[in-house]
Amino acid sequence: MLLFMLMGFIAGMLSPIQTSINGKLRMAVGSPFLASFISFLVGTILLFLICLLIEKRVTFKVRGVGKIPFWVFTGIMGVVFVTSNILLLPLLGSAMTVVLAICGQMVIALIIDHFGFFGVIKHPINRYRIIGVLAMIAGILLIQNF
């Protein structure tokens, strides 16, 4: 479990790095939307190569796809997340952009866990989880004001 937590921590460390890189890309290409497109294009090419090298395929069985909700195949949330970070970075700075995104993630994650949305295991909201989110909000206020 500790290894997986470390992986999550390291993955979280990559977000502000990528956001900063995307901010530079925005300046280079002159558009937050084009920067986001380039970022997704490079990521798509990389994932395509990983699928070829590791899984030896880029296809999946079409049988049963009709039973899966259409929204499972969309990447809209990722587009909004990455593009918003590109837009917010020059206005708010790296720390505030990232901490606001993380706080938003925590709030919706608690709701998803509490109700078991999207088929996840239910983890009820309790006072300790609420205190955790309030501590994050306090952290946002500290970062904003100091």
Side-chain angles (χ1 to χ4, degrees):
M1 181 62 93
L2 187 60
L3 180 61
F4 292 120
M5 292 174 72
L6 180 61
M7 285 174 55
F9 181 77
I10 291 170
M13 292 175 72
L14 298 177
S15 179
I17 294 170
Q18 186 65 58
T19 297
S20 299
I21 290 169
N22 287 346
K24 288 287 187 191
L25 182 58
R26 172 192 182 177
M27 300 306 283
V29 300
S31 165
F33 306 107
L34 187 55
S36 187
F37 173 75
I38 292 168
S39 181
F40 275 99
L41 179 63
V42 171
T44 299
I45 292 168
L46 180 60
L47 286 170
F48 178 79
L49 293 173
I50 289 169
C51 286
L52 284 177
L53 292 172
I54 295 175
E55 298 200 358
K56 311 275 192 265
R57 66 186 178 99
V58 291
T59 60
F60 59 93
K61 293 181 182 176
V62 179
R63 187 177 9 155
V65 168
K67 297 176 184 174
I68 300 172
F70 76 93
W71 47 263
V72 169
F73 294 99
T74 66
I76 295 169
M77 308 289 176
V79 169
V80 171
F81 180 78
V82 170
T83 306
S84 295
N85 280 344
I86 292 170
L87 288 165
L88 293 174
L89 181 76
L91 301 170
L92 303 177
S94 181
M96 186 58 73
T97 298
V98 169
V99 77
L100 285 169
I102 291 170
C103 190
Q105 290 172 8
M106 285 304 305
V107 168
I108 197 66
L110 287 178
I111 293 168
I112 290 169
D113 277 356
H114 182 77
F115 292 104
F117 291 144
F118 311 108
V120 303
I121 297 170
K122 289 184 179 183
H123 295 279
I125 293 176
N126 59 38
R127 66 176 162 239
Y128 301 108
R129 289 175 167 231
I130 291 171
I131 290 169
V133 170
L134 292 174
M136 291 182 74
I137 293 169
I140 290 169
L141 296 173
L142 287 170
I143 290 170
Q144 180 184 19
N145 293 308
F146 298 102

